[in-house]
Amino acid sequence: WKIVLVCVMAFIAFAGVMLALVIAGVEAVKDNKPDGQGSLVTMDGKFVSTEDTTMTVGLSELGSVDPANLLALDKMYLKTDDGVHRIYTVRGISWHSQDYLAIDTLSGHLIVVEDNQVSVVGNEELIIGQ
């Protein structure tokens, strides 16, 4: 009986080691891994998503966002200093430089980021600030 018990224990130990090796191997060869902020990215740094990817950036910083990320911008949420909340659907973007960016919205408003100042032009003009 001792030989059978030793063989069973050796088999269980071998199975555990093999399971650990398989799990480690699968993790090592994954094409997509979370970055430091928890976003799933491919090996070349592109975002992977099954749902909408959310990126939070101050409006005055939009000019410094990578143009490739601006292409994915479809909605904007603004909160003015006086507490007004606005949600815009983005129709198009004109990126002239880091100092000037114009975002055209579906509602007909134009959100302009110029020299770290943000204004919303439409039926009424709002100066959002920095």
Side-chain angles (χ1 to χ4, degrees):
W1 291 101
K2 287 184 179 182
I3 293 176
V4 172
L5 183 61
V6 168
C7 288
V8 168
M9 295 302 284
F11 177 76
I12 291 173
F14 177 75
V17 168
M18 290 304 294
L19 179 64
L21 287 173
V22 167
I23 291 172
V26 167
E27 285 296 318
V29 298
K30 277 188 178 177
D31 287 338
N32 304 317
K33 296 183 181 191
D35 66 3
Q37 297 175 343
S39 298
L40 192 59
V41 294
T42 61
M43 297 301 264
D44 58 353
K46 295 182 181 175
F47 288 107
V48 175
S49 176
T50 56
E51 293 184 14
D52 292 338
T53 302
T54 302
M55 181 177 184
T56 304
V57 177
L59 283 174
S60 61
E61 299 167 11
L62 274 175
S64 62
V65 172
D66 181 20
N69 288 332
L70 286 176
L71 289 173
L73 183 63
D74 63 347
K75 296 212 182 323
M76 291 186 69
Y77 170 77
L78 304 179
K79 180 181 176 188
T80 60
D81 291 338
D82 58 357
V84 176
H85 299 263
R86 296 171 183 257
I87 299 173
Y88 294 101
T89 300
V90 175
R91 185 167 57 177
I93 299 173
S94 296
W95 188 82
H96 301 274
S97 68
Q98 288 187 340
D99 296 326
Y100 185 83
L101 175 74
I103 301 166
D104 184 26
T105 68
L106 199 58
S107 64
H109 291 92
L110 188 65
I111 301 168
V112 178
V113 181
E114 185 173 16
D115 296 326
N116 293 329
Q117 290 291 321
V118 180
S119 58
V120 179
V121 182
N123 298 335
E124 72 280 357
E125 183 169 346
L126 299 174
I127 304 298
I128 305 295
Q130 295 181 343

